[in-house]
Amino acid sequence: ESAKKTLLSLEEKFSHNASPLFNRELYANLGHAAIRLNELDEHVIYREKSLDGAIKVGNVQQMGIAGYNLGRAYQMKNRFDEALTTFEQSASNAKKASDPETRISATMRVIEVTFLKGDKQEARKMFKSIDFKQSTLSEGLKVRYQDLNNLVSF
């Protein structure tokens, strides 16, 4: 709560002359605070603003990361169509930026959201055709991979 107050005071102080890079960082951190406080509507707003800052900066890797975070915010609000589109764009940006961790994370979320939208057959098909080897995944992604496998394979 105090971190959020500090960040909001920075937003107010620099609202008229903040750089896009500053805004990307500010709103990414406000997004972290909002999710920890279970403020899901604010979480979406902050993630949208963070992605806007990343786009204005033109950093494709940060666009992938900010897009991934926005996709998660949409997913948490059951805004699955927006989540799907945002995760797909995140994976594309991450691929352009040679960021395999974000690309794989976003790709797994595309499959998960496809499943949650009710297209279980398509999710299974997508999972079987993913283009990465489990041996190359970080430990955290290995767990998510296995969870996704369990979800789509029942």
PDB file of all heavy atoms in Angstrom, residues 62-89:
ATOM      1  N   GLN A  62      10.774  -4.790 -24.480  1.00  0.00           N
ATOM      2  CA  GLN A  62       9.896  -4.279 -23.430  1.00  0.00           C
ATOM      3  C   GLN A  62       8.428  -4.294 -23.873  1.00  0.00           C
ATOM      4  O   GLN A  62       7.538  -4.472 -23.052  1.00  0.00           O
ATOM      5  CB  GLN A  62      10.327  -2.877 -23.009  1.00  0.00           C
ATOM      6  CG  GLN A  62      11.629  -2.861 -22.241  1.00  0.00           C
ATOM      7  CD  GLN A  62      11.574  -3.712 -20.989  1.00  0.00           C
ATOM      8  OE1 GLN A  62      10.634  -3.639 -20.214  1.00  0.00           O
ATOM      9  NE2 GLN A  62      12.570  -4.567 -20.791  1.00  0.00           N
ATOM     10  N   MET A  63       8.180  -4.135 -25.171  1.00  0.00           N
ATOM     11  CA  MET A  63       6.816  -4.263 -25.684  1.00  0.00           C
ATOM     12  C   MET A  63       6.318  -5.693 -25.469  1.00  0.00           C
ATOM     13  O   MET A  63       5.152  -5.905 -25.129  1.00  0.00           O
ATOM     14  CB  MET A  63       6.766  -3.884 -27.164  1.00  0.00           C
ATOM     15  CG  MET A  63       6.969  -2.395 -27.392  1.00  0.00           C
ATOM     16  SD  MET A  63       7.386  -1.931 -29.103  1.00  0.00           S
ATOM     17  CE  MET A  63       6.053  -2.626 -30.040  1.00  0.00           C
ATOM     18  N   GLY A  64       7.201  -6.674 -25.644  1.00  0.00           N
ATOM     19  CA  GLY A  64       6.827  -8.062 -25.403  1.00  0.00           C
ATOM     20  C   GLY A  64       6.498  -8.313 -23.943  1.00  0.00           C
ATOM     21  O   GLY A  64       5.491  -8.943 -23.625  1.00  0.00           O
ATOM     22  N   ILE A  65       7.339  -7.794 -23.065  1.00  0.00           N
ATOM     23  CA  ILE A  65       7.125  -7.996 -21.624  1.00  0.00           C
ATOM     24  C   ILE A  65       5.882  -7.253 -21.145  1.00  0.00           C
ATOM     25  O   ILE A  65       5.036  -7.816 -20.443  1.00  0.00           O
ATOM     26  CB  ILE A  65       8.370  -7.564 -20.824  1.00  0.00           C
ATOM     27  CG1 ILE A  65       9.538  -8.505 -21.148  1.00  0.00           C
ATOM     28  CG2 ILE A  65       8.087  -7.533 -19.324  1.00  0.00           C
ATOM     29  CD1 ILE A  65      10.890  -8.013 -20.656  1.00  0.00           C
ATOM     30  N   ALA A  66       5.762  -5.982 -21.521  1.00  0.00           N
ATOM     31  CA  ALA A  66       4.591  -5.195 -21.109  1.00  0.00           C
ATOM     32  C   ALA A  66       3.312  -5.786 -21.690  1.00  0.00           C
ATOM     33  O   ALA A  66       2.275  -5.814 -21.026  1.00  0.00           O
ATOM     34  CB  ALA A  66       4.764  -3.732 -21.540  1.00  0.00           C
ATOM     35  N   GLY A  67       3.389  -6.278 -22.922  1.00  0.00           N
ATOM     36  CA  GLY A  67       2.227  -6.925 -23.527  1.00  0.00           C
ATOM     37  C   GLY A  67       1.844  -8.201 -22.795  1.00  0.00           C
ATOM     38  O   GLY A  67       0.669  -8.481 -22.579  1.00  0.00           O
ATOM     39  N   TYR A  68       2.847  -8.975 -22.406  1.00  0.00           N
ATOM     40  CA  TYR A  68       2.579 -10.186 -21.628  1.00  0.00           C
ATOM     41  C   TYR A  68       1.847  -9.832 -20.324  1.00  0.00           C
ATOM     42  O   TYR A  68       0.844 -10.443 -19.978  1.00  0.00           O
ATOM     43  CB  TYR A  68       3.881 -10.941 -21.319  1.00  0.00           C
ATOM     44  CG  TYR A  68       3.647 -12.142 -20.449  1.00  0.00           C
ATOM     45  CD1 TYR A  68       3.278 -13.355 -21.010  1.00  0.00           C
ATOM     46  CD2 TYR A  68       3.758 -12.054 -19.070  1.00  0.00           C
ATOM     47  CE1 TYR A  68       3.026 -14.462 -20.206  1.00  0.00           C
ATOM     48  CE2 TYR A  68       3.515 -13.151 -18.261  1.00  0.00           C
ATOM     49  CZ  TYR A  68       3.151 -14.356 -18.831  1.00  0.00           C
ATOM     50  OH  TYR A  68       2.886 -15.443 -18.024  1.00  0.00           O
ATOM     51  N   ASN A  69       2.354  -8.821 -19.638  1.00  0.00           N
ATOM     52  CA  ASN A  69       1.727  -8.412 -18.374  1.00  0.00           C
ATOM     53  C   ASN A  69       0.303  -7.912 -18.591  1.00  0.00           C
ATOM     54  O   ASN A  69      -0.591  -8.192 -17.779  1.00  0.00           O
ATOM     55  CB  ASN A  69       2.578  -7.348 -17.682  1.00  0.00           C
ATOM     56  CG  ASN A  69       3.864  -7.915 -17.125  1.00  0.00           C
ATOM     57  OD1 ASN A  69       3.955  -9.094 -16.787  1.00  0.00           O
ATOM     58  ND2 ASN A  69       4.882  -7.084 -17.046  1.00  0.00           N
ATOM     59  N   LEU A  70       0.072  -7.198 -19.679  1.00  0.00           N
ATOM     60  CA  LEU A  70      -1.285  -6.751 -19.991  1.00  0.00           C
ATOM     61  C   LEU A  70      -2.174  -7.940 -20.328  1.00  0.00           C
ATOM     62  O   LEU A  70      -3.331  -8.000 -19.884  1.00  0.00           O
ATOM     63  CB  LEU A  70      -1.268  -5.743 -21.145  1.00  0.00           C
ATOM     64  CG  LEU A  70      -2.640  -5.252 -21.627  1.00  0.00           C
ATOM     65  CD1 LEU A  70      -3.452  -4.629 -20.494  1.00  0.00           C
ATOM     66  CD2 LEU A  70      -2.463  -4.274 -22.782  1.00  0.00           C
ATOM     67  N   GLY A  71      -1.646  -8.892 -21.071  1.00  0.00           N
ATOM     68  CA  GLY A  71      -2.425 -10.099 -21.369  1.00  0.00           C
ATOM     69  C   GLY A  71      -2.851 -10.816 -20.096  1.00  0.00           C
ATOM     70  O   GLY A  71      -3.999 -11.266 -19.979  1.00  0.00           O
ATOM     71  N   ARG A  72      -1.957 -10.903 -19.129  1.00  0.00           N
ATOM     72  CA  ARG A  72      -2.303 -11.533 -17.840  1.00  0.00           C
ATOM     73  C   ARG A  72      -3.397 -10.734 -17.136  1.00  0.00           C
ATOM     74  O   ARG A  72      -4.315 -11.305 -16.552  1.00  0.00           O
ATOM     75  CB  ARG A  72      -1.066 -11.640 -16.944  1.00  0.00           C
ATOM     76  CG  ARG A  72      -0.111 -12.708 -17.359  1.00  0.00           C
ATOM     77  CD  ARG A  72      -0.644 -14.125 -17.149  1.00  0.00           C
ATOM     78  NE  ARG A  72      -0.767 -14.403 -15.730  1.00  0.00           N
ATOM     79  CZ  ARG A  72      -1.769 -15.114 -15.184  1.00  0.00           C
ATOM     80  NH1 ARG A  72      -2.724 -15.612 -15.925  1.00  0.00           N
ATOM     81  NH2 ARG A  72      -1.795 -15.326 -13.889  1.00  0.00           N
ATOM     82  N   ALA A  73      -3.294  -9.411 -17.188  1.00  0.00           N
ATOM     83  CA  ALA A  73      -4.322  -8.584 -16.549  1.00  0.00           C
ATOM     84  C   ALA A  73      -5.687  -8.831 -17.198  1.00  0.00           C
ATOM     85  O   ALA A  73      -6.697  -8.979 -16.501  1.00  0.00           O
ATOM     86  CB  ALA A  73      -3.938  -7.104 -16.634  1.00  0.00           C
ATOM     87  N   TYR A  74      -5.711  -8.883 -18.532  1.00  0.00           N
ATOM     88  CA  TYR A  74      -6.962  -9.184 -19.229  1.00  0.00           C
ATOM     89  C   TYR A  74      -7.462 -10.578 -18.860  1.00  0.00           C
ATOM     90  O   TYR A  74      -8.655 -10.785 -18.633  1.00  0.00           O
ATOM     91  CB  TYR A  74      -6.768  -9.110 -20.743  1.00  0.00           C
ATOM     92  CG  TYR A  74      -6.638  -7.728 -21.331  1.00  0.00           C
ATOM     93  CD1 TYR A  74      -5.794  -7.509 -22.419  1.00  0.00           C
ATOM     94  CD2 TYR A  74      -7.358  -6.641 -20.845  1.00  0.00           C
ATOM     95  CE1 TYR A  74      -5.670  -6.258 -23.004  1.00  0.00           C
ATOM     96  CE2 TYR A  74      -7.237  -5.387 -21.418  1.00  0.00           C
ATOM     97  CZ  TYR A  74      -6.395  -5.206 -22.501  1.00  0.00           C
ATOM     98  OH  TYR A  74      -6.286  -3.964 -23.067  1.00  0.00           O
ATOM     99  N   GLN A  75      -6.563 -11.535 -18.798  1.00  0.00           N
ATOM    100  CA  GLN A  75      -6.949 -12.903 -18.475  1.00  0.00           C
ATOM    101  C   GLN A  75      -7.571 -12.969 -17.076  1.00  0.00           C
ATOM    102  O   GLN A  75      -8.582 -13.638 -16.876  1.00  0.00           O
ATOM    103  CB  GLN A  75      -5.736 -13.825 -18.564  1.00  0.00           C
ATOM    104  CG  GLN A  75      -6.050 -15.285 -18.328  1.00  0.00           C
ATOM    105  CD  GLN A  75      -4.822 -16.170 -18.430  1.00  0.00           C
ATOM    106  OE1 GLN A  75      -3.699 -15.702 -18.616  1.00  0.00           O
ATOM    107  NE2 GLN A  75      -5.021 -17.465 -18.312  1.00  0.00           N
ATOM    108  N   MET A  76      -6.982 -12.267 -16.130  1.00  0.00           N
ATOM    109  CA  MET A  76      -7.503 -12.262 -14.759  1.00  0.00           C
ATOM    110  C   MET A  76      -8.904 -11.660 -14.684  1.00  0.00           C
ATOM    111  O   MET A  76      -9.667 -11.976 -13.771  1.00  0.00           O
ATOM    112  CB  MET A  76      -6.551 -11.509 -13.837  1.00  0.00           C
ATOM    113  CG  MET A  76      -5.261 -12.225 -13.601  1.00  0.00           C
ATOM    114  SD  MET A  76      -4.134 -11.179 -12.643  1.00  0.00           S
ATOM    115  CE  MET A  76      -2.609 -12.084 -12.838  1.00  0.00           C
ATOM    116  N   LYS A  77      -9.224 -10.786 -15.624  1.00  0.00           N
ATOM    117  CA  LYS A  77     -10.559 -10.171 -15.685  1.00  0.00           C
ATOM    118  C   LYS A  77     -11.505 -10.949 -16.618  1.00  0.00           C
ATOM    119  O   LYS A  77     -12.593 -10.487 -16.917  1.00  0.00           O
ATOM    120  CB  LYS A  77     -10.448  -8.714 -16.162  1.00  0.00           C
ATOM    121  CG  LYS A  77      -9.804  -7.777 -15.179  1.00  0.00           C
ATOM    122  CD  LYS A  77     -10.670  -7.514 -13.966  1.00  0.00           C
ATOM    123  CE  LYS A  77     -11.931  -6.784 -14.362  1.00  0.00           C
ATOM    124  NZ  LYS A  77     -12.874  -6.626 -13.259  1.00  0.00           N
ATOM    125  N   ASN A  78     -11.058 -12.115 -17.080  1.00  0.00           N
ATOM    126  CA  ASN A  78     -11.835 -12.942 -18.015  1.00  0.00           C
ATOM    127  C   ASN A  78     -12.135 -12.221 -19.322  1.00  0.00           C
ATOM    128  O   ASN A  78     -13.139 -12.503 -19.976  1.00  0.00           O
ATOM    129  CB  ASN A  78     -13.122 -13.464 -17.366  1.00  0.00           C
ATOM    130  CG  ASN A  78     -12.830 -14.387 -16.209  1.00  0.00           C
ATOM    131  OD1 ASN A  78     -11.881 -15.159 -16.241  1.00  0.00           O
ATOM    132  ND2 ASN A  78     -13.628 -14.292 -15.164  1.00  0.00           N
ATOM    133  N   ARG A  79     -11.268 -11.340 -19.710  1.00  0.00           N
ATOM    134  CA  ARG A  79     -11.371 -10.646 -21.003  1.00  0.00           C
ATOM    135  C   ARG A  79     -10.514 -11.433 -21.997  1.00  0.00           C
ATOM    136  O   ARG A  79      -9.456 -10.987 -22.425  1.00  0.00           O
ATOM    137  CB  ARG A  79     -10.934  -9.195 -20.846  1.00  0.00           C
ATOM    138  CG  ARG A  79     -11.907  -8.389 -19.974  1.00  0.00           C
ATOM    139  CD  ARG A  79     -11.379  -7.048 -19.535  1.00  0.00           C
ATOM    140  NE  ARG A  79     -11.054  -6.148 -20.635  1.00  0.00           N
ATOM    141  CZ  ARG A  79     -10.637  -4.891 -20.458  1.00  0.00           C
ATOM    142  NH1 ARG A  79     -10.535  -4.388 -19.242  1.00  0.00           N
ATOM    143  NH2 ARG A  79     -10.343  -4.140 -21.508  1.00  0.00           N
ATOM    144  N   PHE A  80     -11.000 -12.623 -22.321  1.00  0.00           N
ATOM    145  CA  PHE A  80     -10.186 -13.602 -23.031  1.00  0.00           C
ATOM    146  C   PHE A  80      -9.832 -13.196 -24.460  1.00  0.00           C
ATOM    147  O   PHE A  80      -8.730 -13.487 -24.918  1.00  0.00           O
ATOM    148  CB  PHE A  80     -10.850 -14.976 -23.017  1.00  0.00           C
ATOM    149  CG  PHE A  80     -10.963 -15.573 -21.637  1.00  0.00           C
ATOM    150  CD1 PHE A  80     -12.132 -16.168 -21.223  1.00  0.00           C
ATOM    151  CD2 PHE A  80      -9.896 -15.539 -20.750  1.00  0.00           C
ATOM    152  CE1 PHE A  80     -12.243 -16.728 -19.964  1.00  0.00           C
ATOM    153  CE2 PHE A  80      -9.993 -16.087 -19.483  1.00  0.00           C
ATOM    154  CZ  PHE A  80     -11.171 -16.691 -19.084  1.00  0.00           C
ATOM    155  N   ASP A  81     -10.737 -12.550 -25.176  1.00  0.00           N
ATOM    156  CA  ASP A  81     -10.408 -12.139 -26.546  1.00  0.00           C
ATOM    157  C   ASP A  81      -9.260 -11.136 -26.546  1.00  0.00           C
ATOM    158  O   ASP A  81      -8.322 -11.249 -27.351  1.00  0.00           O
ATOM    159  CB  ASP A  81     -11.634 -11.551 -27.248  1.00  0.00           C
ATOM    160  CG  ASP A  81     -12.682 -12.600 -27.566  1.00  0.00           C
ATOM    161  OD1 ASP A  81     -12.320 -13.788 -27.705  1.00  0.00           O
ATOM    162  OD2 ASP A  81     -13.867 -12.238 -27.671  1.00  0.00           O
ATOM    163  N   GLU A  82      -9.326 -10.170 -25.637  1.00  0.00           N
ATOM    164  CA  GLU A  82      -8.248  -9.179 -25.538  1.00  0.00           C
ATOM    165  C   GLU A  82      -6.952  -9.839 -25.063  1.00  0.00           C
ATOM    166  O   GLU A  82      -5.865  -9.506 -25.545  1.00  0.00           O
ATOM    167  CB  GLU A  82      -8.646  -8.058 -24.587  1.00  0.00           C
ATOM    168  CG  GLU A  82      -9.762  -7.183 -25.135  1.00  0.00           C
ATOM    169  CD  GLU A  82     -10.444  -6.384 -24.045  1.00  0.00           C
ATOM    170  OE1 GLU A  82     -11.103  -7.002 -23.177  1.00  0.00           O
ATOM    171  OE2 GLU A  82     -10.300  -5.150 -24.065  1.00  0.00           O
ATOM    172  N   ALA A  83      -7.076 -10.772 -24.125  1.00  0.00           N
ATOM    173  CA  ALA A  83      -5.896 -11.476 -23.629  1.00  0.00           C
ATOM    174  C   ALA A  83      -5.228 -12.246 -24.759  1.00  0.00           C
ATOM    175  O   ALA A  83      -3.999 -12.180 -24.933  1.00  0.00           O
ATOM    176  CB  ALA A  83      -6.282 -12.431 -22.495  1.00  0.00           C
ATOM    177  N   LEU A  84      -6.017 -12.947 -25.550  1.00  0.00           N
ATOM    178  CA  LEU A  84      -5.469 -13.752 -26.641  1.00  0.00           C
ATOM    179  C   LEU A  84      -4.712 -12.888 -27.642  1.00  0.00           C
ATOM    180  O   LEU A  84      -3.559 -13.181 -27.989  1.00  0.00           O
ATOM    181  CB  LEU A  84      -6.606 -14.508 -27.329  1.00  0.00           C
ATOM    182  CG  LEU A  84      -6.231 -15.597 -28.314  1.00  0.00           C
ATOM    183  CD1 LEU A  84      -5.365 -16.658 -27.662  1.00  0.00           C
ATOM    184  CD2 LEU A  84      -7.492 -16.219 -28.880  1.00  0.00           C
ATOM    185  N   THR A  85      -5.327 -11.811 -28.072  1.00  0.00           N
ATOM    186  CA  THR A  85      -4.679 -10.902 -29.027  1.00  0.00           C
ATOM    187  C   THR A  85      -3.395 -10.317 -28.440  1.00  0.00           C
ATOM    188  O   THR A  85      -2.362 -10.231 -29.120  1.00  0.00           O
ATOM    189  CB  THR A  85      -5.644  -9.764 -29.410  1.00  0.00           C
ATOM    190  OG1 THR A  85      -6.809 -10.341 -29.988  1.00  0.00           O
ATOM    191  CG2 THR A  85      -5.015  -8.794 -30.383  1.00  0.00           C
ATOM    192  N   THR A  86      -3.445  -9.937 -27.182  1.00  0.00           N
ATOM    193  CA  THR A  86      -2.291  -9.308 -26.534  1.00  0.00           C
ATOM    194  C   THR A  86      -1.158 -10.308 -26.347  1.00  0.00           C
ATOM    195  O   THR A  86       0.017  -9.973 -26.573  1.00  0.00           O
ATOM    196  CB  THR A  86      -2.716  -8.679 -25.195  1.00  0.00           C
ATOM    197  OG1 THR A  86      -3.811  -7.792 -25.439  1.00  0.00           O
ATOM    198  CG2 THR A  86      -1.585  -7.908 -24.552  1.00  0.00           C
ATOM    199  N   PHE A  87      -1.472 -11.539 -25.951  1.00  0.00           N
ATOM    200  CA  PHE A  87      -0.436 -12.567 -25.821  1.00  0.00           C
ATOM    201  C   PHE A  87       0.189 -12.895 -27.175  1.00  0.00           C
ATOM    202  O   PHE A  87       1.401 -13.112 -27.266  1.00  0.00           O
ATOM    203  CB  PHE A  87      -0.985 -13.845 -25.189  1.00  0.00           C
ATOM    204  CG  PHE A  87      -1.215 -13.765 -23.707  1.00  0.00           C
ATOM    205  CD1 PHE A  87      -2.403 -14.216 -23.151  1.00  0.00           C
ATOM    206  CD2 PHE A  87      -0.241 -13.262 -22.845  1.00  0.00           C
ATOM    207  CE1 PHE A  87      -2.621 -14.166 -21.783  1.00  0.00           C
ATOM    208  CE2 PHE A  87      -0.445 -13.205 -21.472  1.00  0.00           C
ATOM    209  CZ  PHE A  87      -1.640 -13.664 -20.944  1.00  0.00           C
ATOM    210  N   GLU A  88      -0.627 -12.948 -28.222  1.00  0.00           N
ATOM    211  CA  GLU A  88      -0.079 -13.222 -29.560  1.00  0.00           C
ATOM    212  C   GLU A  88       0.892 -12.126 -29.986  1.00  0.00           C
ATOM    213  O   GLU A  88       1.975 -12.409 -30.516  1.00  0.00           O
ATOM    214  CB  GLU A  88      -1.220 -13.369 -30.579  1.00  0.00           C
ATOM    215  CG  GLU A  88      -1.998 -14.653 -30.408  1.00  0.00           C
ATOM    216  CD  GLU A  88      -3.289 -14.702 -31.207  1.00  0.00           C
ATOM    217  OE1 GLU A  88      -3.793 -13.641 -31.653  1.00  0.00           O
ATOM    218  OE2 GLU A  88      -3.817 -15.819 -31.382  1.00  0.00           O
ATOM    219  N   GLN A  89       0.530 -10.878 -29.728  1.00  0.00           N
ATOM    220  CA  GLN A  89       1.426  -9.763 -30.072  1.00  0.00           C
ATOM    221  C   GLN A  89       2.681  -9.795 -29.209  1.00  0.00           C
ATOM    222  O   GLN A  89       3.781  -9.516 -29.684  1.00  0.00           O
ATOM    223  CB  GLN A  89       0.693  -8.430 -29.913  1.00  0.00           C
ATOM    224  CG  GLN A  89       1.499  -7.252 -30.416  1.00  0.00           C
ATOM    225  CD  GLN A  89       1.812  -7.347 -31.901  1.00  0.00           C
ATOM    226  OE1 GLN A  89       0.929  -7.537 -32.716  1.00  0.00           O
ATOM    227  NE2 GLN A  89       3.084  -7.226 -32.260  1.00  0.00           N
TER     228      GLN A  89
END
